[in-house]
Amino acid sequence: MLERLLISVGVFIAGYLILIALKRRQLRNAQSAAGNHQAATEYPTILYFSAGSCHQCYSLQRPLLEEVQKEWLAGQPNGGLRLVTYSVEENPDIATQWGIRTVPTTIIIDANGNVLHINNGLAPKAQLLRQLTNLLKFPEPTSSRRVHLKKEKKQTDKRDTAGIVAPPPLIYLAALGVGYYFSRVYPLDLLPTAVKMLGWPLIAIGALCVASAFRVMWRANTPVDPYQPSTALVTAGPYGFSRNPLYVALTLFYVGGALLLNALWAIVLLPLVLIVMVHGVIAREERYLERKFGAAYQEYKARVRRWI
C-alpha cells in the first residue's frame, strides 16, 4: 500500500511537470506567432480567441473584456489597450499558429510584441485587471521608443526567469528514486518502526505548506511555475516565515518518503540534493528576484530566512 501511495505521488509530480512543459510550449508557440504577425504596436494588446458555439465566449468573456478595456483606459489616460478578437471557426490557421486548443483564450501582449500571459478558459474581470497591472508596462513616447526599439528587440528572446537548472520536484524525485534503488540493492535496515512512522507527519506538514503557499501565490496572481516570469513579490502566509516554503515542503516530502520506504541511502543523498537546490535553483532565483524587485526584495531577504 505504501509503495502504491508513493507511486501515486510520483505520478502526480510527473503530471505537474508535464503540465509545466505544455504551458512553456504554448508560450513559445504564442511568442513565435507574435513574431510572425509583427505584433509590436503602439499599445499593449489583449488577443481574444472565441467560437460561435461557445456560450461563455460571447455571453461572459467578451463583455468582461470590453469592461476591462474601458476601466483600464479610464485609469491610464496616457496609455492605450487594444482588444483584438479572432473566431477559431473563421480563422483556423491563425488559431493553429497561436497554439489555441481551448476557447475562450486570452493572450496579453506588450507593446513590443512580447507574450506576457495566456489565460485558458474563462478569465474573471478582477483577474484580468490584476494581470494587466502586474504585467504591463506602457511604452515610452513614440520618439524615444523608436530609438530603443532595436535594443528591445534583441532582448525579446531573453526570458524573464531565473534560469534554474531543473524543476525542483524532479530534483527531489530523482534523488529519492536513486536512494530507494540503492536501499533495495544494498539494504541498511537500521531504523526502528517508530522512526519510520515519522514519515507520515512530515508529509502532512509538507502538504499544509504547499496548500498555504499555493493559496497566497494564487491571490497575488503570480505563477508557481519557476519557468514563468514572476509578477509579484509574495511575502504573506508561509512566505513570512520562509523565503522558500515550497522547497521546505519538498524536503519534508523527501525525508518522509525516505523514512516510510526505509530508504536510508536517500537520507545519505539529502545533503547533495540541498547543495543542488541552493546553487542551481535558490541562488539563481534570489538573484533574479533582486534584479526584478530591487530594494523590496533586499528588505524581505534580510528579514526572512532562506529555509526556516
Side-chain angles (χ1 to χ4, degrees), residues 27-39 94 96-99 113 115:
L27 285 169
R28 287 196 300 269
N29 290 342
Q31 188 60 65
S32 175
N36 293 337
H37 284 77
Q38 299 179 342
I94 296 178
T96 300
Q97 290 176 4
W98 284 89
V115 177

Side-chain angles (χ1 to χ4, degrees), residues 65-76 125 129:
L65 289 172
E66 292 175 350
E67 291 178 15
V68 166
Q69 185 182 33
K70 290 179 181 178
E71 291 192 18
W72 185 257
L73 294 177
Q76 302 285 342
K125 176 180 173 181
L129 287 172

Side-chain angles (χ1 to χ4, degrees), residues 251-269:
T251 304
L252 293 174
F253 287 149
Y254 181 93
V255 175
L259 292 176
L260 292 173
L261 290 170
N262 195 29
L264 288 183
W265 284 107
I267 303 295
V268 173
L269 290 174

Side-chain angles (χ1 to χ4, degrees), residues 70-173:
K70 290 179 181 178
E71 291 192 18
W72 185 257
L73 294 177
Q76 302 285 342
N78 297 323
L81 182 65
R82 297 170 66 239
L83 176 60
V84 179
T85 301
Y86 287 110
S87 168
V88 297
E89 298 163 337
E90 298 175 2
N91 304 276
D93 294 338
I94 296 178
T96 300
Q97 290 176 4
W98 284 89
I100 304 301
R101 292 183 173 85
T102 61
V103 290
T105 292
T106 54
I107 302 176
I108 300 176
I109 307 172
D110 69 11
N112 297 317
N114 299 316
V115 177
L116 302 180
H117 194 77
I118 299 176
N119 293 305
N120 294 310
L122 184 65
K125 176 180 173 181
Q127 174 183 324
L128 288 167
L129 287 172
R130 284 199 306 269
Q131 290 173 349
L132 291 170
T133 302
N134 293 332
L135 295 172
L136 286 181
K137 294 181 179 179
F138 277 84
E140 299 173 347
T142 304
S143 58
S144 176
R145 180 172 174 266
R146 287 175 179 171
V147 174
H148 298 290
L149 185 59
K150 290 184 179 180
K151 181 178 179 181
E152 292 172 349
K153 281 297 181 182
K154 290 181 180 179
Q155 297 176 348
T156 297
D157 295 332
K158 185 178 179 181
R159 291 188 59 81
D160 181 22
T161 61
I164 61 176
V165 294
L170 184 59
I171 295 173
Y172 282 92
L173 188 61

Side-chain angles (χ1 to χ4, degrees), residues 183-200:
S183 295
R184 282 297 186 93
V185 177
Y186 306 105
L188 297 174
D189 193 8
L190 302 177
L191 293 176
T193 303
V195 175
K196 296 176 186 177
M197 290 299 102
L198 289 176
W200 291 116

